Amino acid sequence: MKKALITGITGQDGSYLAEFLLEKGYDVHGVIRRSSVDYRERIAHLEGHPHFHLHYGDLSDSMSILSVVSTVRPDEIYNLAAQSHVQVSFDVPEFTADVDATGVLRVLEAVRLSGLKDTCRIYQASTSELYGKVEEVPQNENTPFHPYSPYAVAKQYGFWIVKEYREAYNMFCCSGILFNHESERRGETFVTRKITLAAARIAQGKQDKLYLGNLSSLRDWGYARDYVECMWLILQNDKPEDFVIATGEQHSVREFCQLAFHDVGIELEFVGEGMNEKGIDKATGKTVIEVSPDFYRPTDVVNLWGDPSKAKRELGWNPTKTTFEQLVKIMVDHDMKKVAVERAEEHIKTNLAEYLEKGVIK
Ligand code: NAP
Ligand code: GDD
């Protein structure tokens, strides 16, 4: 039985990857951080599985990483842990560098010091943010990098240190240059999830308006559940190589809004420009989307579009298993149910005394 170690297992990708590897018959180990509240929502359903194990560790703490790696002695490591929010990286640049840059080095060194350099394969979660202020459209493995945020600069170090260890020590370590991938498990402050949750709340009368930043920003959005398969395929390849993982399709934040609101039954019309642009509900004339300077970044990446030809050709990966329309629908359907459950819970709480009195709830 192969052993895999996943850092960032509590995150969006970590949770899907853990499910994927368990289905493949792996013994799955994950690194988690101690927290004062329970944050294991995405992996709660896996706890208790005989081949699912959790270890405390932190990417900013070399000893904890060395200890986990040398105890587990994995065949494969998926280094997904990161401060992954680009806008937040402007607020916590040093922490972002420590985890997203030096953290990668700590994983590589832990493998070397544990004597696993010839047996353990390492996947590094790299990113399309490396292309940043893009120098070519669409972007492929040969497109020059131009990182454009503290997050991207830190991830660039991660990319190069992986390449360095591959060449210097002949280690099987690779970067997946993944373009944005979303899901019903996406963190709620990333733009897609923020939109699908707000659309669901507005449709169910729980929110009046959604405030967003740059509506013209362009992204290549895929489905996270499809992308974790690629992480695994990269480590099953004959040679250690880096791959662009993307759908090859590009959409704007505005288009994402239009589709998500359509899926909850609201047809949007955008009027105005720049900071004065508004999204209006055509049926009621109400403004449901406004632009706020709070969600603008000091430097923003606005034109990401990936070319997944190499992954298609060499890994046999299908980049459009889930279409853009299907992805938005999956997220909206999930959030419509989530909001409906929240409303039901609120209703019960408000009327609890009456229900107890009438014996509706015992
Ligand atoms: P995510 O949902 O934000 O998950 C990040 C994970 O990293 C969480 O499990 C988090 O743990 C963990 N983490 C953060 N700091 C840590 C530390 N100091 N030590 C140990 N663990 C730490 O991110 P994601 O969307 O799944 O992305 C996974 C990886 O892919 C990240 O490296 C991200 O930068 C990269 N990436 C993502 C995308 C995308 O579109 N999703 C695209 C390209 C690259 P807690 O739960 O304790 O916070
Ligand atoms: N978060 C957010 N919130 N973004 C907004 C908003 C808003 O209210 N309004 C507009 N945007 C724009 C951002 O300016 C950005 O251009 C785009 O929407 C996408 O933002 P995010 O969803 O926050 O994702 P990201 O592209 O910055 O970063 C994600 O993808 C990277 C891969 O390209 C993260 O998952 C990174 O970890 C990942 O590396």
Side-chain angles (χ1 to χ4, degrees):
M1 181 176 248
K2 270 191 175 178
K3 267 193 222 173
L5 176 67
I6 304 175
T7 70
I9 197 161
T10 56
Q12 170 188 259
D13 292 4
S15 63
Y16 284 125
L17 181 65
E19 285 168 6
F20 177 86
L21 293 175
L22 284 170
E23 271 168 32
K24 287 259 171 233
Y26 278 70
D27 198 35
V28 174
H29 294 252
V31 177
I32 54 163
R33 298 192 286 176
R34 195 262 160 185
S35 160
S36 64
V37 285
D38 185 19
Y39 58 92
R40 296 191 208 165
E41 197 183 311
R42 295 185 180 108
I43 53 167
H45 60 293
L46 301 177
E47 292 192 51
H49 188 293
H51 297 301
F52 184 74
H53 321 271
L54 296 174
H55 309 261
Y56 282 107
D58 194 305
L59 236 62
S60 62
D61 175 353
S62 316
M63 275 185 285
S64 69
I65 299 304
L66 179 58
S67 163
V68 174
V69 170
S70 60
T71 308
V72 174
R73 305 189 72 75
D75 301 291
E76 293 171 9
I77 295 182
Y78 296 85
N79 184 37
L80 310 185
Q83 189 303 93
S84 75
H85 204 286
V86 174
Q87 186 159 9
V88 172
S89 77
F90 289 95
D91 298 327
V92 289
E94 186 182 345
F95 173 74
T96 303
D98 192 18
V99 177
D100 299 12
T102 320
V104 184
L105 176 68
R106 293 185 183 109
V107 171
L108 294 165
E109 272 300 287
V111 169
R112 236 165 56 82
L113 295 172
S114 304
L116 298 172
K117 90 169 183 60
D118 296 324
T119 57
C120 179
R121 296 184 170 200
I122 304 163
Y123 170 86
Q124 166 58 17
S126 192
T127 166
S128 48
E129 286 290 311
L130 297 190
Y131 300 120
K133 192 176 179 187
V134 299
E135 300 193 4
E136 181 176 85
V137 180
Q139 297 93 35
N140 63 33
E141 289 80 2
N142 301 316
T143 302
F145 295 144
H146 189 145
Y148 212 35
S149 66
Y151 166 82
V153 173
K155 282 282 184 178
Q156 171 126 36
Y157 175 89
F159 178 88
W160 280 106
I161 200 69
V162 163
K163 206 167 162 57
E164 177 58 24
Y165 272 53
R166 186 160 75 214
E167 287 171 21
Y169 303 117
N170 209 20
M171 284 166 68
F172 196 112
C173 40
C174 325
S175 292
I177 306 174
L178 269 59
F179 282 63
N180 297 52
H181 43 281
E182 317 295 312
S183 74
E184 60 277 33
R185 294 187 194 166
R186 185 58 143 155
E188 295 179 10
T189 59
F190 293 97
V191 78
T192 56
R193 190 73 199 289
K194 188 173 161 182
I195 295 167
T196 58
L197 260 177
R201 290 195 175 122
I202 290 170
Q204 297 186 44
K206 295 302 295 172
Q207 186 175 327
D208 291 329
K209 233 177 244 177
L210 166 64
Y211 291 92
L212 292 171
N214 186 358
L215 297 172
S216 301
S217 189
L218 297 163
R219 286 290 182 277
D220 178 329
W221 280 298
Y223 187 30
R225 204 186 271 277
D226 299 342
Y227 281 38
V228 297
E229 182 194 6
C230 231
M231 299 176 185
W232 176 76
L233 284 173
I234 289 174
L235 290 197
Q236 312 315 306
N237 201 24
D238 297 340
K239 301 167 283 180
E241 283 186 14
D242 306 321
F243 286 88
V244 160
I245 306 300
T247 68
E249 244 189 65
Q250 197 187 43
H251 299 275
S252 66
V253 171
R254 193 179 294 103
E255 273 176 83
F256 195 103
C257 290
Q258 239 142 4
L259 197 50
F261 276 76
H262 166 82
D263 286 346
V264 302
I266 298 174
E267 297 307 325
L268 284 182
E269 182 178 14
F270 281 93
V271 295
E273 273 178 33
M275 295 301 289
N276 296 318
E277 187 167 355
K278 291 182 191 346
I280 301 196
D281 178 344
K282 280 192 202 170
T284 62
K286 270 175 67 176
T287 298
V288 288
I289 298 179
E290 277 194 33
V291 174
S292 161
D294 291 351
F295 303 108
Y296 272 82
R297 300 170 182 183
T299 47
D300 197 14
V301 171
V302 294
N303 195 3
L304 291 181
W305 183 6
D307 172 3
S309 305
K310 184 181 174 192
K312 262 170 48 179
R313 194 176 58 243
E314 293 182 24
L315 302 175
W317 182 65
N318 171 11
T320 47
K321 199 164 157 190
T322 308
T323 64
F324 177 65
E325 289 73 19
Q326 286 167 334
L327 166 67
V328 178
K329 182 95 174 63
I330 290 168
M331 295 177 70
V332 166
D333 285 353
H334 175 274
D335 286 340
M336 282 297 274
K337 280 193 206 121
K338 178 180 160 72
V339 175
V341 169
E342 280 168 10
R343 285 173 55 220
E345 281 170 357
E346 243 173 64
H347 181 81
I348 292 170
K349 269 189 208 148
T350 317
N351 298 291
L352 191 59
E354 188 189 329
Y355 287 161
L356 286 170
E357 197 182 309
K358 289 186 179 160
V360 179
I361 299 176
K362 297 199 176 27

